[in-house]
Amino acid sequence: MLLASALLEGSGWAGGVGDGNLRLSVTVNGRADSDVRPPEVRVGAWVVKRYRLLNVSEADLHRVRVLDPGAPAGSVRCPAVLPAAEEAECTARFRAVAGRHVHPVRAEGDVPSLRTRLTATARAGYAGVAGALGLTEEVVVATPGTGGGGASATVTYTVTNRGNLPLYTVRVEDPGLALAPGAPDCGGQGGTVAVLAPDTSAFCRTTVRLRPGTYRSAGRASGSDRATTLGTGGERVTAPLLTAGASAVFVVREAPVAPVPRTPAPGAPAAGAPAAGSSAGAAGAAGASAGAGAVPAPGAPGALARTDTGTGTGTGTDAAGRPAAPAAPGAGAAPGAVPPSSVSPGAVPPAPPPGLRRAAGVDDEGFLGRVRRRGREAAEFGVATTLLLLLIPAAVAAALLGSRRK
C-alpha cells in the first residue's frame, strides 16, 4: 500500500539517491568543449544548445529544469520527468548576439518522496562575432556661378564598422549618380577602405558637376570580415558579403544670368562726358571766335557756324548781310565791343549781344530794308507778330507820302 501510494504520487524510490547522481553535459552548435573553445557564431544566426542530463539515481526526477544565464529566459525546453537510470535532453534555440557568452549552467530535478533536489553544473557558451557595416552620406551643393552651366555637388560618404571584427576591402559606390568605379576618394585608395577596425569610421568624398535639377544620391558600401563561423550542426559557414546603403535628395539651382552691358545710342554722350548745354560746352561756344568783328553766339538767328583762329583782325557782316567796315585804329568801339587794347594776344573777345548788332544798322536801312529784316525775324516772333511788323511801317509810310503830296 505504501509503495502504491508513493507511485501514485509520482515520487521515486528512496534508495541510491545522493550528490552526484545527476550529471550534466552541454554542446553548443555541435561543440562539446564550449567552455574552453566557445564556438564563433555569426551575430543574428541561430545558436542551439543541447543539455544532456543523466539520472544515475534509483529515483525518478520531477520538475526537471535547466538554468542558463547565457540563454534568453524561457528558451530552454526540458521533459517534465527524468526516470531513474535514464538520460534526457533539454534544448535551447535562440539568435546569437555580439560578444562572449560563457556561463555556468545548472540542472535540477526533485525527488518528492524524499524531499530532495538533485543538481548538476557545467560551463558552456558561445562567441557572437561579426563585422557590422553602416553607411551615411551628406551632400553640399556649391553656389552656382553666373553664366549658367549648373554647379558642383560634393558628396561625403561615412562608412562605419559597428561590429566586433575588422572589415576588409570596404568599397563605396553610388549608382544613383552614375559614378565611375573608384570615383569616391577614400584617402587616396580609389573608392576602397583597405581595413576598417571595429568601432571606427572612414570618409570617402566625390565632387560632381551637375546641371540644374533634382538628384538622388544612392550610396552603397560592401565589405567582409572574413570570419568562418559554426552552424547549428557544427558545420563551417563562410563569411558573407556585408552591405549597407544610404541615400540623399538634393537640388542644383539655376545659375543667375550675367548682366548684359548696355550700349549707348548713337550720338548719346559717353559715360563721364559733359552733357549738352553744360558750362563746359557754353565756355567752348563763347570762345569759338578770335576775329575783331562781332560774331553771333552759336544758336542765335543768323549765327555763323565757324571757328576762327588767328590774331583777331578779321571782317564780319552786319544784320542786313553787308560787309562791316573795319574799325579804324583808335576809333571808338561800338557799344558792347571790347577795345583791342584790353584783349591780350591770343585771347578770344566775348561776342556782343545780338540786339546791339541789329541796332548798329537800323539807322541806315530804308523801308525795304526794314521789310527784309522783319522777314528774317518772323521765325522768332510768330505769324501774328510778323503781320503787325509789316502793316505798321506800311501805314506810317502811306501817311508820310500823303502829307508830302499836300
Side-chain angles (χ1 to χ4, degrees):
M1 294 292 296
L2 292 176
L3 179 58
S5 175
L7 291 174
L8 290 175
E9 293 177 359
S11 58
W13 295 96
V17 176
D19 294 338
N21 290 150
L22 180 63
R23 298 172 184 177
L24 172 65
S25 61
V26 184
T27 60
V28 181
N29 282 24
R31 179 169 291 181
D33 58 348
S34 63
D35 57 330
V36 180
R37 294 188 308 129
E40 291 185 342
V41 181
R42 186 162 297 278
V43 173
W46 289 106
V47 177
V48 176
K49 286 187 174 183
R50 301 184 184 277
Y51 311 90
R52 181 173 176 268
L53 284 72
L54 178 59
N55 181 9
V56 297
S57 72
E58 298 178 359
D60 296 338
L61 297 181
H62 298 263
R63 294 187 296 275
V64 177
R65 55 197 178 274
V66 173
L67 306 177
D68 185 357
S75 62
V76 182
R77 299 290 185 268
C78 293
V81 178
L82 176 56
E86 293 187 12
E87 65 179 24
E89 184 178 87
C90 300
T91 59
R93 182 182 178 91
F94 54 90
R95 298 284 184 179
V97 295
R100 180 184 173 92
H101 304 277
V102 178
H103 304 280
V105 179
R106 180 185 178 92
E108 297 178 348
D110 296 334
V111 181
S113 61
L114 299 178
R115 299 180 181 176
T116 300
R117 176 175 295 171
L118 300 184
T119 63
T121 60
R123 286 182 62 86
Y126 71 98
V129 297
L133 186 61
L135 177 67
T136 59
E137 64 176 76
E138 181 182 7
V139 183
V140 177
V141 181
T143 302
T146 59
S152 61
T154 300
V155 187
T156 302
Y157 307 91
T158 304
V159 288
T160 304
N161 183 359
R162 300 168 182 166
N164 54 11
L165 291 179
L167 295 176
Y168 301 92
T169 317
V170 179
R171 184 177 300 276
V172 178
E173 303 171 301
D174 194 337
L177 297 180
L179 299 181
D185 181 12
C186 302
Q189 301 181 26
T192 302
V193 180
V195 180
L196 188 60
D199 297 326
T200 61
S201 298
F203 302 95
C204 301
R205 291 183 178 86
T206 186
T207 300
V208 291
R209 185 79 181 181
L210 300 172
R211 299 181 64 83
T214 301
Y215 296 87
R216 182 182 184 87
S217 171
R220 295 290 182 269
S222 60
S224 174
D225 55 20
R226 302 178 181 176
T228 300
T229 57
L230 293 183
T232 57
E235 70 277 9
R236 297 175 66 84
V237 180
T238 59
L241 180 66
L242 305 177
T243 60
S247 64
V249 177
F250 60 96
V251 177
V252 176
R253 303 293 182 186
E254 189 77 32
V257 179
V260 179
R262 300 183 63 182
T263 304
S278 62
S279 59
S289 174
V295 181
L304 299 177
R306 74 179 183 183
T307 302
D308 295 332
T309 59
T311 59
T313 59
T315 303
T317 58
D318 60 10
R322 298 189 299 270
V338 180
S341 59
S342 64
V343 179
S344 62
V348 180
L356 296 180
R357 290 200 54 203
R358 293 193 187 98
V362 169
D363 297 334
D364 299 332
E365 68 180 356
F367 175 78
L368 296 178
R370 291 180 181 179
V371 172
R372 286 197 297 270
R373 180 167 56 83
R374 300 302 186 189
R376 286 195 301 269
E377 296 175 349
E380 301 177 4
F381 299 100
V383 178
T385 306
T386 302
L387 293 176
L388 292 176
L389 293 177
L390 292 175
L391 294 176
I392 293 175
V396 173
L400 291 176
L401 290 174
S403 62
R404 288 180 181 179
R405 290 176 180 176
K406 292 178 181 181

